[in-house]
Amino acid sequence: MRDSRKYCLAATVGALLSVSITTGAQAGTSTSESPRYEPQMVKALAKSLAVSEKTAVERLDRQAQQQSALARLNKDGIKTEGAFFNSKGTLTVNAPNAKTAVTIDDAGLNARVPEHGQSALHRIKSELDAMATKQTPTGISSWSVDLASDTVTVTVNSDKSAAARAFLKAAKIHGDAVRVVRSQENLSPQAAIAPGSEMTGNGYRCSVGYGAKDSDGRQYLVSAGHCIMHMRDLEYNGKQFATRVNTRFASGKNSVDMGIAKVDSDDSITTEVDTWGRANVAVNGSERAAPGADVCKSGRSTHWTCGKINSYNASALYEGKTVVTGLGSSSVCTEDGDSGGAYISGDQAQGVTSGGPLHQQCNGKVNSPGSSWFQPLDDALSHYGLTLNTN
């Protein structure tokens, strides 16, 4: 197959979240005549913020500049306690002390000294992860570090089970470092099962994620682990294009939702994300965007949807039995069949769709209200020792 062809990953178990197709991402510009950002993303962002497209581009530029300034501080050895974008697109950097806050301010960034900070919050979350691994807290939907509120946020669907009550009791010991939110959402890795679908494998369907290569140049598809779990051969339009190599997802066990498949020698994964009828988006890297950054995803069910990144190192309980850790959370709307699909911010690949609320219905628009969880791409690339294919 030629690299102009789209590939979709075949998917995984029962009600798992589905995913996206092909690679690709948003394009930055290679020439002065080309737009810096994919026009349809700019248009969608402008509409969601009720601003002009010029203002939307300026917002994306400011976010990129602020993240570059933060990267320079980190390279210079300045220790920080995490960073996040607010609703206005301003990056706030957590400082461990007042002296470091001054250094951050001098770099042109907004600094604050939080009561708790990223390190302390992640220690609390790790305690909750360990507890959930020993006894599944049925009724707890998710728990993650929310830097903006300086808390570990625990989302609760029901506290009727003894394990859920014990989990909440352990969480509340940490006082105002933990925030409990009530919700009616039941999360599920979304993979719609539809025999005969164009993206198939062993009776399952998902969406294709990103292409990457190892040190010897061998090509792999990086996808959601639950999409690859039950599939050996991945097919596109009834023809095999990749073979499963590894998955770190196991139903009913403590899991990470990443997996890879080796791409057949006569096939390829393109370096442009399919935006479903709009101009495709070129992938130019995989630099992780800060919480609050704008992000879009491509997937077979909901196509091109956009929102914001909420947090990283989030944990979720899928189908009441599988604890999945190391996720990113977002306000991007997804449905069954989107799993494995590509998330991109600007021209930087962010991850692949992992899960979302069971029976969530998106309204068909780019900015459909909703939520989803994704497997960060940089973690998957690092674990498997791969390099992202870029434009």
Side-chain angles (χ1 to χ4, degrees):
M1 302 177 195
R2 300 278 66 85
D3 60 3
S4 61
R5 178 175 186 173
K6 302 171 188 174
Y7 299 110
C8 186
L9 236 210
T12 107
V13 302
L16 300 182
L17 224 208
S18 97
V19 182
S20 94
I21 215 184
T22 72
T23 19
Q26 191 153 346
T29 44
S30 55
T31 72
S32 59
E33 298 178 356
S34 303
R36 289 191 297 281
Y37 308 103
E38 195 277 313
Q40 290 299 328
M41 181 178 181
V42 172
K43 184 177 294 185
L45 177 60
K47 183 177 180 180
S48 67
L49 297 174
V51 298
S52 68
E53 291 184 22
K54 178 176 181 292
T55 300
V57 169
E58 291 171 348
R59 176 189 174 97
L60 289 171
D61 285 343
R62 286 197 308 274
Q63 288 187 356
Q65 291 164 3
Q66 291 172 91
Q67 294 202 141
S68 294
L70 177 58
R72 288 193 294 272
L73 285 175
N74 291 333
K75 187 176 181 180
D76 290 340
I78 304 302
K79 302 298 182 183
T80 62
E81 279 292 314
F84 61 93
F85 284 105
N86 64 18
S87 61
K88 295 181 179 180
T90 300
L91 188 69
T92 295
V93 182
N94 284 336
N97 51 56
K99 182 178 179 181
T100 303
V102 171
T103 301
I104 294 170
D105 284 332
D106 289 344
L109 296 172
N110 182 42
R112 76 169 185 183
V113 180
E115 180 182 355
H116 307 294
Q118 180 173 260
S119 299
L121 295 176
H122 280 303
R123 283 194 294 271
I124 294 171
K125 185 188 165 289
S126 294
E127 292 177 16
L128 298 179
D129 285 347
M131 187 173 185
T133 300
K134 293 178 181 177
Q135 186 174 21
T136 302
T138 303
I140 306 297
S141 295
S142 64
W143 53 104
S144 62
V145 170
D146 179 16
L147 292 178
S149 66
D150 197 29
T151 65
V152 173
T153 301
V154 179
T155 306
V156 184
N157 174 259
S158 171
D159 57 4
K160 293 181 178 179
S161 73
R165 291 194 296 273
F167 186 92
L168 290 173
K169 181 178 180 180
K172 290 176 180 178
I173 288 175
H174 297 285
D176 63 4
V178 171
R179 179 173 60 126
V180 176
V181 177
R182 298 284 172 173
S183 171
Q184 294 303 308
E185 293 181 343
N186 287 309
L187 304 184
S188 167
Q190 303 167 324
I193 301 174
S197 169
E198 71 175 303
M199 308 167 217
T200 62
N202 194 31
Y204 296 84
R205 66 183 181 186
C206 278
S207 305
V208 169
Y210 287 102
K213 59 182 177 291
D214 65 14
S215 58
D216 294 321
R218 289 184 288 259
Q219 293 292 319
Y220 295 87
L221 172 70
V222 181
S223 183
H226 75 262
C227 282
I228 297 179
M229 182 172 62
H230 286 320
M231 297 185 302
R232 180 182 181 276
D233 301 319
L234 312 182
E235 298 180 356
Y236 173 78
N237 276 352
K239 182 183 182 298
Q240 178 179 316
F241 74 93
T243 304
R244 179 182 62 206
V245 173
N246 179 268
T247 176
R248 297 182 67 194
F249 187 94
S251 183
K253 297 182 180 179
N254 189 34
S255 293
V256 176
D257 202 7
M258 63 176 71
I260 57 172
K262 188 176 185 301
V263 178
D264 294 349
S265 60
D266 59 340
D267 296 324
S268 65
I269 308 297
T270 73
T271 57
E272 291 189 351
V273 172
D274 183 10
T275 60
W276 298 86
R278 305 168 178 85
N280 289 348
V281 181
V283 180
N284 288 327
S286 56
E287 181 178 327
R288 181 178 290 201
D294 301 299
V295 68
C296 294
K297 83 99 204 38
S298 179
R300 66 156 308 282
S301 297
T302 57
H303 297 177
W304 185 245
T305 55
C306 301
K308 295 185 183 301
I309 295 172
N310 294 331
S311 67
Y312 291 103
N313 196 24
S315 297
L317 181 62
Y318 285 166
E319 297 179 326
K321 61 183 179 181
T322 307
V323 175
V324 183
T325 59
L327 299 173
S329 66
S330 79
S331 61
V332 175
C333 195
T334 59
E335 295 179 11
D336 288 354
D338 281 329
S339 284
Y343 281 63
I344 188 163
S345 179
D347 60 1
Q348 299 296 305
Q350 298 300 308
V352 295
T353 304
S354 173
L358 191 63
H359 306 310
Q360 176 167 261
Q361 295 293 310
C362 306
N363 63 18
K365 297 181 180 179
V366 170
N367 292 296
S368 300
S371 61
S372 60
W373 280 253
F374 63 94
Q375 167 60 54
L377 185 63
D378 54 358
D379 286 346
L381 293 173
S382 176
H383 177 79
Y384 289 116
L386 300 176
T387 301
L388 177 68
N389 293 334
T390 56
N391 196 49

